[in-house]
C-alpha cells in the first residue's frame, strides 16, 4: 500500500490494524474478506456495498475501514461514504475534517469533487457525512442520493457505505435497497440470533441483497465471515 509521504496522521491510526499490524491474524481475516469481495465486485459487477448491522455498536465502522484498506492494498480504487448520520465517525477514525460531506452534496450545496477527501492512503477516497445535526435523515432517501450513487459507481472499483443499523434506523433499509450488496456485521457477544433473523427479513422486504455476514468479536480481534 502506498501511504503518501509526510503523513503525520498515519502514525496515529492505531485502530487500523490492517495498516499498523498487517501480519496479524485479524489483518489476514480482513484480507480474506477483501478477496471474497473482490470476486463480488470485479467479477460479479457489484460495486456499491452497504455495511450495516442489526443494532448499533457491532463494529461496522471499524470493519468497514479495515476492509477498505485491504481493498486499496489490492490496487482497487475505493470510496468510503459515511451515511451513518446518527453516529458519523469515519472522519474521527481517519482523522479527517468533516466541515462538508455527503449531506452537502445531496443538497446541492457542494460538488462531490469539492467535498471528497483524497486520503493519505493511496487509492482511498472518503466522503464524510458533513454536518448532520439538523434534520438530515430524510435526505438519504431522496432521488439526489440515488443519482449520486449512480454517478459515483462509474468512478470507483468499489464504494463502501457506512450505514446506521437496520433495526434502529429506517434509512438503513432504503440505503440497502440502493446498494448492490449488503455486508451484515454481527457481534459475537452483543448480537442476538432473533435480531439477525429480523434484520434479514427487513432487508428482504427492502429487496436488498445480503452478500455476506461478518462475525466480529471485540477485544479478541477475531473476525469470521460467511460470504454467499
Ligand atoms: N474487532 C474489534 N476489536 C477491538 N475493538 C473493536 C473491534 N470492533 C469494534 N471495536 C471497538 O468497538 C467500538 C464500536 O465499534 P464501531 O464504532 O466500529 O461500531 P459501529 O457498529 O460502527 O457503531 P455505531 O453503530 O455506533 O456506528 C469502537 O470503540 C471500536 O474501536
Ligand atoms: Mg459506526
Amino acid at each position: 500500500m502506498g501511504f503518501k509521504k509526510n503523513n503525520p496522521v498515519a502514525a496515529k491510526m492505531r485502530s487500523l490494524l490492517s495498516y499498523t499490524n498487517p501480519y496479524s491474524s485479524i489483518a489476514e481475516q480482513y484480507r480474506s474478506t477483501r478477496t471474497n469481495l473482490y470476486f463480488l465486485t470485479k467479477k460479479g459487477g457489484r460495486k456499491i456495498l452497504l455495511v450495516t448491522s442489526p443494532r448499533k455498536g457491532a463494529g461496522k465502522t471499524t470493519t468497514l475501514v479495515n476492509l477498505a484498506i485491504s481493498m486499496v492494498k489490492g490496487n482497487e480504487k475505493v470510496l468510503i461514504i459515511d451515511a451513518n448520520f446518527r453516529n458519523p465517525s469515519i472522519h474521527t477514525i481517519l482523522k479527517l475534517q468533516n466541515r462538508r460531506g455527503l449531506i452537502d452534496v445531496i443538497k446541492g450545496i457542494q460538488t462531490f469533487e469539492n467535498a471528497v477527501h483524497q486520503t493519505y492512503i493511496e487509492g482511498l477516497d472518503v466522503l464524510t457525512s458533513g454536518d448532520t445535526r439538523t434534520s438530515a435523515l430524510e435526505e438519504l432517501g431522496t432521488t439526489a442520493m440515488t443519482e449520486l450513487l449512480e454517478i459515483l459507481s462509474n468512478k470507483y472499483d468499489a464504494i463502501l457505505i457506512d450505514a446506521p443499523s437496520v433495526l434502529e434506523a429506517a434509512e438503513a433499509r432504503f440505503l440497502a435497497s440502493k446498494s448492490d450488496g449488503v455486508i451484515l456485521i454481527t457481534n459475537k457477544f452483543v448480537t442476538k440470533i432473533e435480531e439477525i433473523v429480523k434484520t434479514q427479513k427487513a432487508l428482504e422486504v427492502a429487496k436488498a441483497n445480503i452478500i455476506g455476514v461478518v462475525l466480529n468479536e471485540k477485544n479478541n480481534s477475531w473476525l469470521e465471515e460467511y460470504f454467499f
Side-chain angles (χ1 to χ4, degrees):
M1 166 172 51
F3 264 93
K4 290 172 188 166
K5 283 183 186 161
N6 305 324
N7 60 98
V9 191
K12 293 185 195 158
M13 294 165 59
R14 299 284 171 242
S15 55
L16 302 180
L17 273 154
S18 297
Y19 166 62
T20 55
N21 203 350
Y23 301 108
S24 62
S25 66
I26 185 78
E28 183 54 43
Q29 286 286 323
Y30 285 124
R31 271 196 295 279
S32 155
T33 310
R34 182 269 322 263
T35 306
N36 286 333
L37 283 178
Y38 174 84
F39 289 110
L40 289 164
T41 52
K42 272 265 162 22
K43 310 266 182 256
R46 298 190 193 285
K47 286 205 168 174
I48 305 174
L49 306 174
L50 191 86
V51 178
T52 186
S53 57
R55 295 204 179 275
K56 63 185 168 189
K60 294 182 293 291
T61 306
T62 309
T63 309
L64 180 148
V65 172
N66 278 285
L67 267 181
I69 291 174
S70 291
M71 288 168 100
V72 295
K73 278 187 183 178
N75 287 327
E76 290 192 73
K77 190 153 174 52
V78 176
L79 174 69
I80 292 176
I81 299 180
D82 195 346
N84 185 353
F85 286 180
R86 292 166 191 255
N87 181 23
S89 51
I90 291 288
H91 61 283
T92 313
I93 198 167
L94 288 172
K95 318 276 187 224
L96 298 168
Q97 295 273 7
N98 191 28
R99 278 199 299 262
R100 48 181 181 247
L102 175 60
I103 185 66
D104 307 292
V105 180
I106 306 174
K107 283 182 166 173
I109 298 166
Q110 290 284 342
T111 61
F112 169 75
E113 286 71 22
N114 269 344
V116 72
H117 292 270
Q118 272 137 13
T119 68
Y120 36 85
I121 302 169
E122 263 174 40
L124 182 64
D125 286 1
V126 176
L127 185 60
T128 62
S129 63
D131 186 347
T132 56
R133 282 170 297 182
T134 51
S135 61
L137 292 180
E138 310 88 72
E139 298 294 336
L140 290 169
T142 57
T143 324
M145 177 67 189
T146 311
E147 283 171 2
L148 177 67
L149 290 177
E150 268 166 29
I151 293 165
L152 296 180
S153 62
N154 294 320
K155 293 185 179 222
Y156 292 91
D157 294 315
I159 298 173
L160 294 177
I161 304 177
D162 194 0
S165 60
V166 172
L167 300 180
E168 290 153 340
E171 69 275 17
R173 268 166 276 166
F174 175 82
L175 290 168
S177 74
K178 297 295 167 196
S179 304
D180 298 321
V182 174
I183 302 167
L184 202 60
I185 311 297
T186 62
N187 189 281
K188 200 160 184 169
F189 298 113
V190 180
T191 313
K192 300 192 181 89
I193 293 288
E194 311 88 78
E195 292 171 350
I196 299 177
V197 174
K198 263 191 192 169
T199 303
Q200 193 189 6
K201 286 195 177 133
L203 289 172
E204 258 173 37
V205 171
K207 303 225 177 330
N209 189 7
I210 303 176
I211 58 167
V213 178
V214 171
L215 183 62
N216 184 30
E217 185 175 323
K218 280 183 196 170
N219 307 323
N220 205 3
S221 292
W222 182 249
L223 191 86
E224 288 175 45
E225 20 110 19
Y226 306 91
F227 275 81
F228 313 127

